[in-house]
Amino acid sequence: MLITRFRAAAVAVATSVVAVAGLASPASADPAPIPDGTLVETGYNYLARPDYTAGANDWSCRPQAGKNPVILLPGSFANAGANFTKLGPRIKNAGFCTFTLNFGQTAASFGRIGGLAPTEDSARQLAAFVDRVLTATGATKVNVVGHSQGGLIPTYFIKRLGGATKVDKYVGLAPSNHGTELFGIAALGRALNLLGIAEDFAALAQFPGVTSQAVGSRALQTLWADGDAMPAGPSYTVISTRYDEVVHPVANQRLDGPGTRNILLQDLCPFDTTGHVGIAFDEPALQLTVNALKGGSSSFRPSCGFGTQRGMFGIPFA
């Protein structure tokens, strides 16, 4: 009798433990937030995992209501693995399905860097990727976030390839929208009337995507042939830093037209000295990006910090 009662009590206790464990099962809990990447991870990804961004490219992801899938586009000579070690997790943790594209790779890319192909080719590559994301997720529109040339390519897609009907929100981080002086090379080329020759040489050298960002390039002339205004429909947010060493003058990053907002970081965080590369890792810039993707208030002010340790490119890591 005593043994029978002991067995009954043991079964009852075990049943209770299983029930409690079931209630606390990780499967029923929200997934843990993805931590920000580190500088070490950024360097490792650049060399070994160029296509990896934590939480990204889950083709089974289904968007939450009101949150279009987000496509992240890295800058010239970069890749998604290195460019978005901080921004990728932030956007994923905000509830978005995230996808990355290493566009514009050529024979000179060694499978690691992008942005080398002609602007028009990269924009067509993005167009195909957008269709793939829409088909996989069931969404009707995407959001795009691009850094440097990664901000120019969706501008071309939206303005020249009909992308305005497929993009809801655009965020450019120091985008090369109207070109850069490329440390005076473009100005020298125009002065010698040799810019076209310089572009042809770059095509032979597998780097046409770089010189097509020069002020006055054929690609940019085509892009802005009918004026500076962007098509109505999407919202456009450009985030720039006064200390940009690459895309300058900084005013060339701006977009104009309906639904555009151009933000200079120092207007909100005066002591933020992040540079061109660092803006993709800068704390205020990350907050502004997520706010824009959420359709947040234009009066939103980020918490200022981290972007105040300026190295060659102003790359801030906590």
Side-chain angles (χ1 to χ4, degrees):
M1 177 67 73
L2 182 60
I3 294 176
T4 301
R5 289 179 178 176
F6 177 78
R7 286 177 176 172
V11 170
V13 170
T15 302
S16 298
V17 170
V18 170
V20 172
L23 291 174
S25 171
S28 64
D30 292 334
I34 302 172
D36 285 358
T38 63
L39 183 59
V40 171
E41 182 181 353
T42 297
Y44 177 75
N45 285 355
Y46 186 84
L47 296 173
R49 301 190 299 182
D51 299 312
Y52 175 79
T53 300
N57 295 331
D58 175 5
W59 294 96
S60 66
C61 186
R62 295 297 175 265
Q64 299 178 15
K67 292 185 175 180
N68 296 311
V70 179
I71 297 175
L72 301 168
L73 302 168
S76 304
F77 298 116
N79 56 51
N83 219 145
F84 301 120
T85 49
K86 277 197 171 188
L87 184 56
R90 292 291 182 93
I91 296 175
K92 181 68 173 181
N93 291 339
F96 292 90
C97 296
T98 56
F99 299 88
T100 61
L101 173 64
N102 283 323
F103 64 88
Q105 293 190 335
T106 70
S109 296
F110 304 107
R112 288 181 174 82
I113 61 175
L116 304 186
T119 300
E120 301 89 332
D121 293 352
S122 293
R124 285 189 285 267
Q125 186 181 357
L126 172 60
F129 192 76
V130 167
D131 287 342
R132 182 185 176 194
V133 170
L134 292 177
T135 299
T137 61
T140 57
K141 291 188 176 184
V142 299
N143 298 333
V144 290
V145 177
H147 179 211
S148 192
Q149 188 187 169
L152 170 64
I153 299 307
T155 299
Y156 198 102
F157 167 61
I158 292 169
K159 191 169 174 66
R160 288 284 163 238
L161 301 181
T165 62
K166 298 180 180 180
V167 174
D168 183 37
K169 295 179 178 65
Y170 162 102
V171 180
L173 296 166
S176 53
N177 282 320
H178 293 275
T180 174
E181 292 294 339
L182 289 179
F183 299 102
I185 294 176
L188 176 62
R190 287 198 309 278
L192 299 176
N193 198 26
L194 293 175
L195 183 60
I197 294 176
E199 287 185 294
D200 292 339
F201 175 80
L204 294 175
Q206 297 289 323
F207 301 145
V210 179
T211 52
S212 66
Q213 297 173 81
V215 174
S217 71
R218 289 191 291 260
L220 291 177
Q221 290 180 42
T222 299
L223 173 58
W224 303 111
D226 57 353
D228 291 348
M230 292 297 291
S235 67
Y236 304 95
T237 302
V238 173
I239 304 171
S240 304
T241 171
R242 179 177 290 122
Y243 301 102
D244 197 307
E245 318 91 328
V246 178
V247 180
H248 57 85
V250 175
N252 282 9
Q253 301 176 17
R254 294 175 56 90
L255 290 178
D256 297 297
T260 60
R261 183 185 181 208
N262 296 287
I263 303 171
L264 186 66
L265 278 173
Q266 286 73 26
D267 288 343
L268 302 175
C269 297
F271 299 105
D272 190 321
T273 59
T274 192
H276 180 81
V277 174
I279 198 170
F281 307 91
D282 178 71
E283 183 61 30
L286 268 57
Q287 295 174 39
L288 288 164
T289 298
V290 173
N291 179 70
L293 293 174
K294 289 182 174 180
S297 171
S298 60
S299 62
F300 171 78
R301 298 189 69 89
S303 299
C304 299
F306 293 125
T308 56
Q309 296 181 355
R310 178 174 164 74
M312 179 177 179
F313 288 104
I315 306 177
F317 273 87

